[in-house]
Amino acid sequence: MVDTAPPDEAEILGTAVTASPLAAEAPVRIPVQRYISAGFADLEHERLWPRVWHVACTTDHVADPGDWFEHRLGRYSVVLVRGDDGVLRGFQNVCRHRGNTICQGSGSGASELRCPYHRWTWDLAGRLRELPSRRGFGPLRNEDLGLVPVRVDTWARLVFVNLDLDAEPLADWLEGVPGDIAWAGLDEFRSDYSTVTPVNCNWKVVNEGFSETYHVQGLHREMLASIDDVNAPQRIWNRHSASFQAYGVPSPRLGRNVDTQTVWDSFVETQGGRMGPEYREPCAAPDVPDGQTLQDVIAQKIRDHQATLGVDLSGYDTSQITRLSQYNLFPNSTVLVSADLFTVMTARPGPTPDEGVLAIINLRRMPSAGAPASSPVHVTVPIDAADFGFVLNQDLSVIRTMQNGLHQPGCTHVLLSGEECRIINMHRHLERYLGLEPGGREPDPAE
Ligand code: FES
Ligand SMILES: [Fe+2]
């Protein structure tokens, strides 16, 4: 039995609430095999993925009776289906006859689930309804051959799945995260689209790219004039963690004399569309009235743009609009929230350790009155065929080169700093699930 007791927080960081940059006693070493070894990926399939709550889709993807959605996670496949009784259920996507996959893709209007091979058929609650040529099997009871259920629960329209029927309740699993972001009213959002993108790297490479701000000064230099990446607090509950980043202010790394136009240009280039389509192109910085900051002006422009969409953000202050709350849900999701945005990026394993999937769910805050039921567009997007946005394009450009580097014989470990504490925390919990010794500290050359 693998011990999955949570690591002592003090063991990880010495404190649960920390500010970045974090000083570490020594770099933390993570063996590179975790990213490239088929044996390690097998271990994850055996001991991690069947036992964790993880994001599959949103309730908008399966809103009505008869809606169904296939959720894939590495070698595992789950079918989510909304029953005639309105209940959302999940089943392992496998036929009880000879093991064929029952559903592929997604759809609506289903009245039953039928295996295409020999046409065994179940109702939407997973009860075996009929099978052809039953007599040939001899005695056989329908109630023994229902689809294999999985646990399904929701938070903020996100549908979570756990293959472990004895798993703790989702509300407990999420620790302090829902309470921390309760101010944002996430239930007012609906999903408008979701994408799935195959990537040529291990799922952890994707996941870790969204688990630290250390790379802003290197990879996202255009963003540096409009983000405080230095005074960005990080928080670790137990298995989950968060980072909070202020936008519309320059990084302290640029010194004190960063003019307003430079900050404005950076914000426009990297996320100007949040203020409306006219702010996607370079333009003169607006006047900043006495007693206000550029952040106040940006926040008002975002409120004004949301108002054109029927969304009232008057109840959200400058900080709630310009600060990004980034939650890293163990093991593989990143939830990004400001008052005007809610995006979930999930890194899933692929068929080999060198392959993964980036799944993005985008949600929009609905107009307060009479929100129409939306049916999200769900598409597979090849990595080279789409524009993911200025910043995410940069993130994706590196995950493609990372996996190759990790295969070089001279690369035996990755090194992590205190600033990368959320990655370290993920590995500590991964080790518990897999039954491994913790990755070590870099030996001190003076010792
Ligand atoms: S494998 Fe599904 S009906 Fe035969
Ligand atoms: Fe990034």
Side-chain angles (χ1 to χ4, degrees):
M1 191 64 198
V2 179
D3 173 18
T4 55
D8 182 351
E9 279 171 0
E11 185 185 303
I12 302 163
L13 287 171
T15 174
V17 181
T18 58
S20 173
L22 297 156
E25 291 168 16
V28 169
R29 292 155 54 93
I30 301 294
V32 75
Q33 282 77 17
R34 294 187 185 187
Y35 302 86
I36 60 174
S37 149
F40 195 86
D42 285 345
L43 210 54
E44 290 175 339
H45 273 88
E46 179 190 331
R47 298 183 180 179
L48 176 75
W49 298 120
R51 301 173 59 196
V52 289
W53 284 104
H54 60 276
V55 176
C57 60
T58 73
T59 51
D60 301 311
H61 291 83
V62 277
D64 299 316
D67 286 356
W68 59 274
F69 187 92
E70 182 199 12
H71 163 60
R72 287 194 198 169
L73 180 78
R75 296 165 205 157
Y76 300 115
S77 174
V78 165
V79 58
L80 293 152
V81 59
R82 178 82 62 183
D84 301 322
D85 53 2
V87 175
L88 179 61
R89 298 180 178 85
F91 305 100
Q92 293 188 27
N93 192 5
V94 56
C95 177
R96 297 296 307 273
H97 173 219
R98 271 169 49 202
N100 190 29
T101 298
I102 298 173
C103 301
Q104 295 185 75
S106 60
S108 58
S111 57
E112 60 191 18
L113 300 174
R114 181 190 299 146
C115 178
Y117 201 172
H118 311 90
R119 294 177 73 85
W120 282 37
T121 305
W122 293 262
D123 69 15
L124 300 185
R127 292 176 292 235
L128 183 62
R129 193 181 255 176
E130 58 178 296
L131 59 144
S133 307
R134 164 188 290 268
R135 203 179 296 171
F137 287 91
L140 176 143
R141 301 184 337 150
N142 283 25
E143 51 268 42
D144 294 336
L145 292 166
L147 296 178
V148 180
V150 304
R151 294 279 297 282
V152 177
D153 207 343
T154 62
W155 168 60
R157 304 197 80 76
L158 302 178
V159 175
F160 288 75
V161 164
N162 196 325
L163 272 64
D164 179 2
L165 296 178
D166 297 322
E168 68 186 282
L170 177 65
D172 295 342
W173 169 267
L174 291 172
E175 302 173 343
V177 172
D180 196 68
I181 197 62
W183 61 266
L186 295 181
D187 288 336
E188 295 175 11
F189 286 75
R190 301 280 185 278
S191 179
D192 52 355
Y193 69 85
S194 56
T195 61
V196 169
T197 298
V199 291
N200 291 323
C201 69
N202 188 267
W203 68 275
K204 292 186 287 298
V205 170
V206 180
N207 199 53
E208 292 169 10
F210 302 135
S211 302
E212 43 91 359
T213 51
Y214 177 46
H215 71 271
V216 170
Q217 59 188 311
L219 187 61
H220 303 310
R221 295 194 69 74
E222 298 83 353
M223 184 188 268
L224 212 51
S226 60
I227 176 177
D228 187 345
D229 60 328
V230 173
N231 304 298
Q234 301 194 58
R235 175 168 188 168
I236 292 177
W237 282 271
N238 179 17
R239 57 177 80 91
H240 311 307
S241 57
S243 160
F244 306 95
Q245 306 138 31
Y247 288 86
V249 290
S251 168
R253 298 183 203 278
L254 298 180
R256 293 189 178 169
N257 300 317
V258 182
D259 61 54
T260 299
Q261 184 67 48
T262 302
V263 179
W264 174 257
D265 287 343
S266 168
F267 191 86
V268 166
E269 182 170 18
T270 55
Q271 48 186 325
R274 289 175 63 194
M275 300 183 290
E278 66 271 38
Y279 292 105
R280 291 186 195 280
E281 301 297 328
C283 52
D287 291 333
V288 178
D290 286 346
Q292 290 194 18
T293 64
L294 181 60
Q295 282 183 310
D296 292 326
V297 174
I298 287 172
Q300 188 55 46
K301 288 186 180 298
I302 291 174
R303 278 189 210 100
D304 293 345
H305 173 55
Q306 289 288 319
T308 68
L309 304 172
V311 176
D312 177 13
L313 291 187
S314 61
Y316 295 95
D317 64 23
T318 292
S319 170
Q320 290 168 327
I321 295 173
T322 58
R323 190 168 94 143
L324 182 70
S325 299
Q326 178 175 3
Y327 297 93
N328 297 101
L329 300 184
F330 180 82
N332 64 333
S333 279
T334 303
V335 178
L336 304 172
V337 179
S338 293
D340 61 312
L341 64 87
F342 179 11
T343 301
V344 181
M345 300 189 292
T346 300
R348 297 188 187 136
T352 73
D354 293 326
E355 296 167 276
V357 171
L358 169 62
I360 300 176
I361 296 173
N362 197 71
L363 301 100
R364 276 197 309 126
R365 195 184 292 275
M366 289 289 113
S368 35
S374 64
S375 194
V377 175
H378 179 69
V379 287
T380 297
V381 179
I383 196 164
D384 293 324
D387 178 2
F388 291 89
F390 190 91
V391 176
L392 195 49
N393 285 344
Q394 291 176 326
D395 288 316
L396 295 178
S397 74
V398 181
I399 63 173
R400 286 184 285 187
T401 51
M402 275 289 295
Q403 192 70 20
N404 219 28
L406 292 167
H407 275 282
Q408 304 312 305
C411 181
T412 57
H413 292 79
V414 301
L415 289 187
L416 297 168
S417 77
E419 213 171 324
E420 294 163 305
C421 60
R422 287 175 283 151
I423 300 177
I424 298 170
N425 190 54
M426 192 282 289
H427 278 276
R428 293 296 176 251
H429 285 274
L430 182 62
E431 288 152 2
R432 298 283 171 142
Y433 271 88
L434 302 191
L436 302 174
E437 290 295 314
R441 298 267 180 197
E442 180 80 339
D444 184 344
E447 285 179 1

